[in-house]
Amino acid sequence: MSNQNYILLKNGTHTDVRNIPVLDEDDFRKACLDALLIDSCRISSFFVRPESGKQFLTAVLADPAQQGFRVLSMDAGHSYRSLTAEYPGFNRFERDVFESCGIMPTGHPNLKPLRFPAGNVGKMKFFSMAGKAVHEVAVGPVHAGVIEPGHFRFECMGEKVYSLEISLGYQHRGVEKLLCSGPDARSSHIIETAAGDTSIAAAWNYARIIESLGGITVDPQYNDLRQIALELERCANHIGDLGALAGDVAFLPTASFCGRIRGEYLNMSADLCGNRFGRNFIVPGGCRFGADKLLAQKISAKLRTVMPELWNALELMFNSPTVLDRFENTGTVSYDDARALDLTGPAARACGMNVDIRHEFPGNWEIPQAVKPVKCTGDVLSRAAVRYAELKNSHTYLLSALERISGNISPVEWAPVPALQKNAIAISSVEAWRGELCHTAVTGEDGRFTVFKITDPSLRNWEGLAMALRDEEISHFPICNKSFNLSYCGHDL
């Protein structure tokens, strides 16, 4: 489906790149801003597509009303007028384009490094405040334990934070460049480890792109298995984060319980996928491991055993006045700010935004129910409550889906990737546990990837964390940070 300003592409499908409208700059700006500010679309991807010696700035905008993605482009040349001032959600996307392709977004209000070039890691001029009472607090980039590197610069007066600036890029590995000229034997491994706690969501996106471009038909029963694996991944991470939130306010019963219970869900993932993190499970055409009624009953029995312990552990925390006192009205992000920053996932839903790829772009298989409205004031408590509600719905879905497995679902053997469509663009988006994870692939004359763009939910949500700390006590940073629990490597790629 297309109109003069964009082509509409369904989730998990492709089209010829020549079908993408190429607009002049004024029309491109108007089409993007009208879609975002009037039609309630959001940015799923924003990148440069090289073709015939030109650089086409390409926008992929999720359009829930039409259950598809608006795709449009412009010949950017060496510069274009920045869109960030009109829609702040473009901020990180435009900085990424500038760093990767050298195309200048003129008038950008905050054109600072997103990921540092070689030899300049950590070199950035930070925002600063004037005044004798002002002091700066620097955290990182080296953190305790196994936490990945990232730098946080707080501008404070007394204990109050007036500004938090987050500097990342220390984990930049050139993932997207490694995927170009693929697919090859490395591609699936690179995809699944781009952000290691989101392997299932990433593998599903990649498989769906290969299936679309390679003309591979997938039996719906494999989509059911993929959804089961995805919900187990979601449960394990939500449980771990809720336990860590409890630990940050020294509520040790829930912290201790959730640390152990998370391991139970990783073990269930191993039962289904052959790996605790779901690696090498989803392959183009299906799943590397099958399932039968006995396996489904085994996982279902484990769920029924651990669920009472999980609900008890979480109810202890959510019924504790001392915990609620720390969570409520802490780290608040307003709906308007969340919408302007284009937040995604639980962080967005906690602000009252109704965004969830599972329900906006439904497939031909059962999915968990939408989370019913909870306390959506954008604070730490709201973000925790959304995760709790998602856990409830995921468990309802998992028990139902496992019950439906009555026969034998055969494994799909790994096979060489077929020849892909030439000069095509394919889009796949999955609701990962942090939010929308979007992959966009463009192939050239040889059917190989010329572009493979990954938009991890953390790319958008780090700015939400910075906003959550404004006018907060600096001692609230740990619980604000954990309530988002964003990925450093998923941002840096």
Side-chain angles (χ1 to χ4, degrees):
M1 176 180 174
S2 65
N3 70 9
Q4 60 182 355
N5 289 328
Y6 64 85
I7 185 169
L8 189 73
L9 201 57
K10 295 296 185 179
N11 196 10
T13 66
H14 74 275
T15 189
D16 193 300
V17 292
R18 290 169 292 191
N19 293 330
I20 304 173
V22 179
L23 312 179
D24 63 30
E25 183 172 351
D26 289 340
D27 287 342
F28 180 81
R29 288 174 56 84
K30 185 178 188 307
C32 287
L33 294 173
D34 284 354
L36 295 164
L37 298 174
I38 298 174
D39 297 338
S40 298
C41 297
R42 61 179 183 273
I43 310 168
S44 289
S45 193
F46 191 77
F47 61 95
V48 169
R49 172 174 55 88
E51 184 181 329
S52 303
K54 295 183 178 180
Q55 298 192 98
F56 293 98
L57 191 63
T58 304
V60 177
L61 309 176
D63 185 347
Q66 298 188 79
Q67 294 187 1
F69 297 92
R70 300 186 185 187
V71 186
L72 59 155
S73 64
M74 64 171 280
D75 181 357
H78 298 293
S79 67
Y80 65 98
R81 300 197 310 278
S82 171
L83 293 146
T84 298
E86 288 88 348
Y87 193 78
F90 277 110
N91 176 24
R92 275 174 147 70
F93 289 99
E94 292 190 330
R95 288 159 63 188
D96 178 39
V97 165
F98 173 63
E99 290 184 7
S100 60
C101 303
I103 300 176
M104 172 66 72
T106 58
H108 190 287
N110 189 37
L111 195 59
K112 293 184 177 183
L114 187 71
R115 306 173 184 119
F116 300 101
N120 292 289
V121 175
K123 295 181 180 179
M124 188 176 83
K125 184 177 180 181
F126 289 92
F127 170 78
S128 61
M129 292 172 57
K132 293 183 178 180
V134 175
H135 67 280
E136 293 183 344
V137 177
V139 178
V142 179
H143 301 282
V146 297
I147 301 173
E148 295 172 314
H151 183 71
F152 303 84
R153 184 72 63 95
F154 299 84
E155 297 291 322
C156 303
M157 291 185 67
E159 293 295 309
K160 180 170 286 190
V161 177
Y162 281 80
S163 171
L164 165 60
E165 201 162 359
I166 303 171
S167 175
L168 304 173
Y170 301 90
Q171 289 286 83
H172 185 31
R173 298 147 289 156
V175 166
E176 292 170 339
K177 288 184 179 180
L178 288 172
L179 291 167
C180 287
S181 300
D184 54 37
R186 308 173 304 164
S187 299
S188 60
H189 173 73
I190 293 170
I191 288 285
E192 289 184 335
T193 55
D197 55 14
T198 314
S199 292
I200 290 293
W204 196 348
N205 266 340
Y206 176 71
R208 195 150 51 184
I209 281 177
I210 298 298
E211 288 157 2
S212 175
L213 291 173
I216 301 172
T217 302
V218 182
D219 190 306
Q221 64 184 349
Y222 293 111
N223 286 323
D224 287 327
L225 281 187
R226 292 172 176 184
Q227 191 73 52
I228 290 171
L230 182 66
E231 296 310 315
L232 287 173
E233 181 174 77
R234 190 184 320 279
C235 288
N237 283 290
H238 281 352
I239 292 165
D241 283 354
L242 289 171
L245 267 174
D248 278 345
V249 294
F251 192 73
L252 299 185
T254 298
S256 300
F257 276 121
C258 285
R260 176 186 64 80
I261 292 171
R262 173 178 176 268
E264 300 288 351
Y265 286 80
L266 295 177
N267 290 337
M268 287 182 237
S269 292
D271 290 335
L272 178 68
C273 307
N275 181 282
R276 281 160 59 89
F277 295 99
R279 305 272 167 82
N280 301 310
F281 176 61
I282 296 177
V283 297
C287 298
R288 189 187 294 269
F289 297 97
D292 56 23
K293 186 173 183 178
L294 288 177
L295 176 61
Q297 289 175 338
K298 177 183 177 182
I299 297 173
S300 183
K302 286 186 176 182
L303 276 172
R304 295 182 187 279
T305 298
V306 77
M307 282 168 57
E309 299 177 11
L310 174 61
W311 305 143
N312 177 62
L314 295 179
E315 286 163 10
L316 284 173
M317 180 175 74
F318 282 100
N319 290 326
S320 169
T322 57
V323 173
L324 298 181
D325 182 61
R326 290 294 308 277
F327 287 1
E328 195 167 19
N329 300 320
T330 298
T332 299
V333 180
S334 70
Y335 172 88
D336 289 342
D337 287 340
R339 183 71 183 87
L341 293 173
D342 224 9
L343 300 189
T344 187
R349 293 190 280 276
C351 300
M353 292 176 62
N354 185 23
V355 293
D356 189 325
I357 287 293
R358 292 172 294 178
H359 307 111
E360 295 168 319
F361 300 84
N364 60 343
W365 62 93
E366 185 184 339
I367 56 174
Q369 296 178 359
V371 171
K372 294 180 180 179
V374 293
K375 179 179 170 61
C376 294
T377 57
D379 55 7
V380 171
L381 180 58
S382 298
R383 290 188 284 275
V386 165
R387 291 181 187 237
Y388 190 14
E390 287 194 8
L391 281 171
K392 291 278 190 179
N393 283 1
S394 290
H395 280 77
T396 300
Y397 162 79
L398 284 168
L399 292 173
S400 173
L402 291 166
E403 181 69 26
R404 291 197 305 273
I405 298 177
S406 57
N408 184 57
I409 301 175
S410 301
V412 171
E413 296 295 330
W414 177 255
V417 174
L420 305 185
Q421 286 286 333
K422 301 176 181 179
N423 299 316
I425 180 171
I427 301 169
S428 180
S429 190
V430 168
E431 186 69 19
W433 66 275
R434 285 191 182 94
E436 180 186 354
L437 174 65
C438 182
H439 289 183
T440 305
V442 179
T443 59
E445 286 285 353
D446 58 357
R448 315 293 287 180
F449 297 140
T450 58
V451 174
F452 200 104
K453 191 65 187 173
I454 300 173
T455 305
D456 187 274
S458 295
L459 181 74
R460 288 182 281 212
N461 285 353
W462 276 112
E463 291 198 80
L465 174 60
M467 188 63 66
L469 263 292
R470 289 193 178 180
D471 294 324
E472 280 290 339
E473 302 294 311
I474 194 170
S475 58
H476 290 164
F477 174 67
I479 57 175
C480 290
N481 187 24
K482 183 52 64 178
S483 70
F484 282 86
N485 191 18
L486 303 175
S487 174
Y488 298 80
C489 62
H491 173 281
D492 293 345
L493 296 175

